[in-house]
Structure formats: structure tokens, C-alpha cells
Amino acid sequence: MARGTLSDVTRRGALRASDADRDATVDRLHRAATEGRIGSDELEQRVSVALKARTYAELDATVADLPSQPRKASRSRHPAVPVARWTVRSIRANPMLLLVLLPGVALTFALLVAVTLIWAVLVVVAMVLSHSGRGPWIGPGRRGRGYAARHYRGVPPPRRRPGGSWL
């Protein structure tokens, strides 16, 4: 059974085209314009003819001089490789990376956790001590001991005793 005989082609050409066929032809024309095969003026003319076409033969005439499949772009020298594949390939090529990489990652994680915990403990201790007034930070228990605090309340500054002592 021979495919694509002349009588089959003429029979298909006489059939009425659907809106989906017209849209597919218009899409093909737009791809051809994007590829630089036809200009913008020619694109407008061909789209107009394709939208008015009634049969497959009229539709095929608008794209007859265009290639059926656009050529695929040549592959680049370095195709994009996902990170996971790159990592697995690198480790398979250099198994010694595991001896350096895993302890390094574990040590970094442990140090980050330790620094975070130490910082959190120091913040909590500072908050507790400053609230009770027993720490080196100025809190409610530290007010009223110095000259500035007494002077602010209207208390005169202490007088100096003979002998040079402030006691």
C-alpha cells in the first residue's frame, strides 16, 4: 500500500480545513518569521491568506516554501547539567572528595549550632542578670547609687571629708 499517492494528495487538498488547521498554519508562519525565514510584510500577507483559506490546498500553499520541521539549534559544547548530576559525577570521579567534603560539612554545621547556642545562652543570662539588678548591666537595682542619681532627685552631692577621703 503506497502512502502519499497523487490521488490521496489531491483528495486531501480538496477537503475543507478547520479553524484548528488554520491556527496551526498561522503558528507555523509565526515560527518561520521568528527564525528569520520570512519578513514582517510577507508574514502579514500569508497570515491573511491562511485565515481566509477554505481547503487544505490553500493552507498548504501558504507554507509550501517553508521547511516542514525547523532545524534544531546545535548543541553547545557544555550542556546544562543539573547540580545533583554534577555532584554525583564529581564524587564518582574523585572518591577522595567524600573524605574531605563530609567531615567539612559536618564540622561547619556543628560550629554554627554551637555558636548559635552560646549566643542564645549569653542573651538569656544577660536578660536574667539585668532584670535582677545583680549583674554589671544597668538595671532597676543599680539606680540611685551614684551622684547623678541623687542630684537628679534633688539630693545635694556629698561633702568631702577632711583627709581627702570621699567616704
Side-chain angles (χ1 to χ4, degrees), residues 10-11 24 48 58 62 71-72 84 88 105 112-113 136 144 148 163 165:
T10 56
R11 226 181 293 150
S48 174
E58 293 172 356
T62 60
R71 294 183 67 192
K72 293 184 179 179
V88 170
V105 169
L112 286 172
V113 168
S165 174

Side-chain angles (χ1 to χ4, degrees), residues 92-157:
R92 283 184 183 167
N94 303 313
M96 293 299 289
L97 281 175
L98 285 176
L99 295 175
V100 175
L101 191 64
L102 288 179
V105 169
L107 182 65
T108 303
F109 181 73
L111 285 174
L112 286 172
V113 168
V115 167
T116 304
L117 286 175
I118 290 171
W119 178 80
V121 167
L122 287 176
V123 166
V124 168
V125 167
M127 289 174 59
V128 167
L129 290 179
S130 69
H131 182 66
S132 66
R134 286 182 263 156
W137 300 276
I138 296 176
R142 302 279 296 179
R143 290 190 194 131
R145 291 187 181 179
Y147 164 76
R150 277 182 258 156
H151 184 65
Y152 179 73
R153 291 183 186 156
V155 177

Side-chain angles (χ1 to χ4, degrees), residues 32-106:
T34 304
E35 293 168 357
R37 297 185 192 279
I38 57 176
S40 61
D41 294 336
E42 188 177 1
L43 173 66
E44 288 179 30
Q45 291 172 353
R46 288 186 183 209
V47 167
S48 174
V49 170
L51 292 175
K52 293 176 186 175
R54 292 184 182 167
T55 63
Y56 283 112
E58 293 172 356
L59 278 179
D60 291 341
T62 60
V63 292
D65 60 339
L66 299 175
S68 60
Q69 292 292 333
R71 294 183 67 192
K72 293 184 179 179
S74 62
R75 294 188 61 130
S76 64
R77 293 176 67 188
H78 303 288
V81 178
V83 175
R85 284 189 197 162
W86 175 83
T87 306
V88 170
R89 286 180 188 171
S90 299
I91 290 175
R92 283 184 183 167
N94 303 313
M96 293 299 289
L97 281 175
L98 285 176
L99 295 175
V100 175
L101 191 64
L102 288 179
V105 169

